[in-house]
Amino acid sequence: MDESLVVRRETQIAAPPATVFAFLTDPQKILSWMGAEAETEVHPGGLYLVKDVGGRPGRTARGQFREVVPVHRLAYSFGWEGDDAAPPGSGLVEIDLIDRDGGTLVRMTHTGLPNAEQCANHAKGWAHYLGRLRVAAAGGDPGVDDFARSLAV
């Protein structure tokens, strides 16, 4: 594995692992911090789908759950519909939820990214969305998702 094409992020969330797990797997809770529509089948081989990510119509993340350990760990394939560089199933997102300091340490690793540009874009996206997750899972309102606007030059 080319370590230069791996995105790693950690964030501490002021909520228990069960709450954070729900915000990563329950479609209604996912919508509080990412996307306009979500569908999940939370079991190995089940669907992971989030539409209109970043407020961009047609930007759809799709994958399949590979590992589900309730309240502790998720792993799912990941990619973008209509994106030849990073199509559905081309990447792997692994998320560990660690009970720490009265809350949850979220440790995320995204592998399988094809090049430095995709890696940089995903690193920026994960920083944005893990920040939104941190707010939502702790009971706050992350506000309107302006990620697409931040990409405009």
Side-chain angles (χ1 to χ4, degrees), residues 40-48 63-68 75-77:
T40 58
E41 299 165 356
V42 188
H43 57 81
L47 177 67
Y48 173 86
Q64 284 189 327
F65 286 97
R66 293 195 181 165
E67 185 178 358
V68 178
Y76 53 90
S77 64

Side-chain angles (χ1 to χ4, degrees), residues 7 9 76 78 93 108 110 122-131:
V7 176
R9 291 280 182 266
Y76 53 90
F78 184 92
V93 174
M108 187 282 311
H110 187 159
H122 283 84
K124 186 175 180 180
W126 279 115
H128 173 80
Y129 283 108
L130 288 176

Side-chain angles (χ1 to χ4, degrees), residues 32-45:
S32 69
W33 61 279
M34 181 188 337
E37 185 179 329
E39 186 178 341
T40 58
E41 299 165 356
V42 188
H43 57 81

Side-chain angles (χ1 to χ4, degrees), residues 32 97 120 151:
S32 69
L97 305 177
L151 298 175

Side-chain angles (χ1 to χ4, degrees), residues 9-138:
R9 291 280 182 266
E10 289 187 356
T11 191
Q12 180 73 23
I13 298 178
T19 298
V20 178
F21 188 84
F23 274 85
L24 292 167
T25 58
D26 179 293
Q28 289 305 87
K29 292 187 183 319
I30 290 170
L31 297 182
S32 69
W33 61 279
M34 181 188 337
E37 185 179 329
E39 186 178 341
T40 58
E41 299 165 356
V42 188
H43 57 81
L47 177 67
Y48 173 86
L49 177 77
V50 182
K51 293 184 176 183
D52 300 345
V53 176
R56 296 182 347 198
R59 185 69 167 160
T60 299
R62 178 184 288 274
Q64 284 189 327
F65 286 97
R66 293 195 181 165
E67 185 178 358
V68 178
V69 180
V71 312
H72 297 291
R73 181 172 167 79
L74 289 170
Y76 53 90
S77 64
F78 184 92
W80 301 100
E81 288 184 354
D83 185 331
D84 292 337
S90 63
L92 179 66
V93 174
E94 298 172 274
I95 300 173
D96 291 299
L97 305 177
I98 302 157
D99 192 346
R100 183 175 289 169
D101 299 328
T104 303
L105 175 66
V106 175
R107 185 171 289 151
M108 187 282 311
T109 304
H110 187 159
T111 57
L113 295 161
N115 56 50
E117 180 183 7
Q118 285 283 333
C119 191
N121 290 342
H122 283 84
K124 186 175 180 180
W126 279 115
H128 173 80
Y129 283 108
L130 288 176
R132 291 178 59 79
L133 172 63
R134 183 176 53 248
V135 172

